[in-house]
Amino acid sequence: MSTIKAPNITSLKSTSLLIGLFIPFSQAYASRVETKSINIDVYVNRDGSLDIVDNRRIFFEKETTEFTYQVPLTPASNISDFILRQDDQLYQEIDGNQENINSYQVLSNKNELAVEYYFWAKDQTKKFTFNYHVNGATSRYQDTALVEWFFLDKNTASITNQININFYLPDLAESEQIQAWIRGAFDYDLNIESGQNIHFYTNQLDPKYHLQAKVTFPSSFILGDIIPQTILSELIEQEENFQTEYTTQRQSQQVQQKKLKSFPDFQSQDSDTGNSAVSSDMMI
């Protein structure tokens, strides 16, 4: 199959770099890139591995020829069998400096799955599907099995309007045998459906925050060695404390932002001193 060289990729990189010298990366992209929706299915396999299908509808206002898919990795995890599609078009993996339209290259390291992909878009929405297999994201303890995974990097360069995530467990369980938590979303719905499907939904995320999910279920659902440790009670307490602290920090941040809007002179004075009215400690 013949491929077409992506137009103006080099000049686009130069323009992006120039913009980045003057305003933060997320602000530079926010006016022209908007993620309309993200729909993710996570299938937990009997061997403890995950199969992930990540569908994203992204609107590009200005001419765009490349974008990056970024997902932080948990410490013991590794990725294989990566596939990228745009609608029915299968993208080809490349290495080096080819950068052809309908292609991608994996730039991952031990801390992050990063995939740079090449296309052409202007004032249009494109649908991309990212498929990959994950090992090492699930642990089997004496009292529970735990799967934890990231879905959005906190440096995501676009506003995200709607996120649906479904976890599918390999077996049925009583609802009280399943626990689930989300980090990085202030308002969300989380439901355990049919004893096997955990559904999460939010309609807006601030791109400054990462998105992470943790799900526990009976350890008998997956195979593998059991870690001689009980964690469930401690984990429940830990996540409840985190959610309380996170909510308090976000509410405090919103109050500070309202003050800045109400008293622009205060905002100006604060900027002159080089201090931020909202503590960076609040950022996750």
Side-chain angles (χ1 to χ4, degrees):
M1 180 184 299
S2 61
T3 55
I4 304 172
K5 187 70 175 177
N8 299 325
I9 285 181
T10 302
S11 61
L12 178 68
K13 286 183 175 179
S14 301
T15 303
S16 300
L17 178 60
L18 184 61
I19 292 172
L21 293 176
F22 296 99
I23 58 178
F25 179 81
S26 59
Q27 293 181 20
Y29 277 83
S31 64
R32 65 187 181 94
V33 179
E34 179 181 353
T35 302
K36 297 289 188 179
S37 65
I38 298 178
N39 292 283
I40 303 174
D41 292 322
V42 181
Y43 299 91
V44 182
N45 300 313
R46 185 71 67 179
D47 63 0
S49 65
L50 309 178
D51 284 306
I52 296 180
V53 182
D54 186 337
N55 293 286
R56 304 193 176 199
R57 293 175 60 250
I58 306 175
F59 173 75
F60 302 94
E61 180 183 8
K62 297 183 180 180
E63 181 176 338
T64 309
T65 56
E66 65 178 83
F67 208 60
T68 303
Y69 176 81
Q70 292 175 288
V71 175
L73 299 178
T74 52
S77 63
N78 61 80
I79 304 294
S80 62
D81 303 330
F82 187 91
I83 297 174
L84 169 58
R85 289 184 174 87
Q86 178 196 316
D87 297 319
D88 295 328
Q89 173 68 53
L90 180 66
Y91 277 40
Q92 300 297 316
E93 183 176 7
I94 60 173
D95 53 6
N97 299 313
Q98 296 171 316
E99 299 182 359
N100 295 324
I101 280 182
N102 300 335
S103 67
Y104 70 92
Q105 57 179 326
V106 179
L107 307 173
S108 301
N109 54 50
K110 64 179 182 180
N111 298 316
E112 179 184 60
L113 168 63
V115 179
E116 193 171 82
Y117 52 104
Y118 311 103
F119 55 93
W120 187 90
K122 182 179 181 180
D123 193 25
Q124 64 185 130
T125 299
K126 288 186 174 288
K127 178 185 175 183
F128 299 97
T129 301
F130 307 88
N131 296 68
Y132 52 96
H133 185 76
V134 182
N135 283 304
T138 304
S139 301
R140 193 180 183 206
Y141 295 91
Q142 289 179 329
D143 57 343
T144 193
L146 169 65
V147 56
E148 48 187 330
W149 194 246
F150 290 94
F151 298 98
L152 279 179
D153 185 88
K154 64 182 178 181
N155 296 315
T156 297
S158 68
I159 296 296
T160 302
N161 290 334
Q162 177 180 308
I163 298 177
N164 283 281
I165 301 174
N166 286 288
F167 278 86
Y168 298 95
L169 301 180
D171 209 342
L172 290 170
E174 299 294 332
S175 58
E176 60 269 17
Q177 294 178 300
I178 301 173
Q179 300 281 343
W181 302 273
I182 292 291
R183 290 190 173 196
F186 186 55
D187 295 310
Y188 61 88
D189 294 324
L190 198 156
N191 299 299
I192 299 173
E193 304 169 355
S194 71
Q196 194 171 13
N197 177 16
I198 299 94
H199 177 247
F200 159 79
Y201 169 82
T202 186
N203 60 9
Q204 185 79 40
L205 281 181
D206 188 323
K208 294 189 295 296
Y209 297 91
H210 66 248
L211 182 67
Q212 179 189 23
K214 295 182 181 182
V215 178
T216 63
F217 52 91
S219 58
S220 59
F221 282 15
I222 58 175
L223 304 173
D225 296 335
I226 293 180
I227 300 172
Q229 182 181 352
T230 58
I231 65 159
L232 188 56
S233 296
E234 181 180 350
L235 182 62
I236 291 173
E237 181 179 2
Q238 172 186 319
E239 292 303 316
E240 288 177 349
N241 290 340
F242 174 86
Q243 294 297 337
T244 299
E245 181 181 355
Y246 179 74
T247 300
T248 301
Q249 291 175 344
R250 281 295 301 253
Q251 290 173 341
S252 176
Q253 183 183 16
Q254 290 172 343
V255 169
Q256 293 292 336
Q257 289 173 342
K258 288 180 180 179
K259 287 182 179 180
L260 291 177
K261 291 180 180 179
S262 301
F263 302 100
D265 290 342
F266 169 75
Q267 182 178 8
S268 175
Q269 292 171 7
D270 193 74
S271 299
D272 292 340
T273 62
N275 297 323
S276 172
V278 181
S279 170
S280 61
D281 293 338
M282 294 180 184
M283 305 303 181
I284 295 176

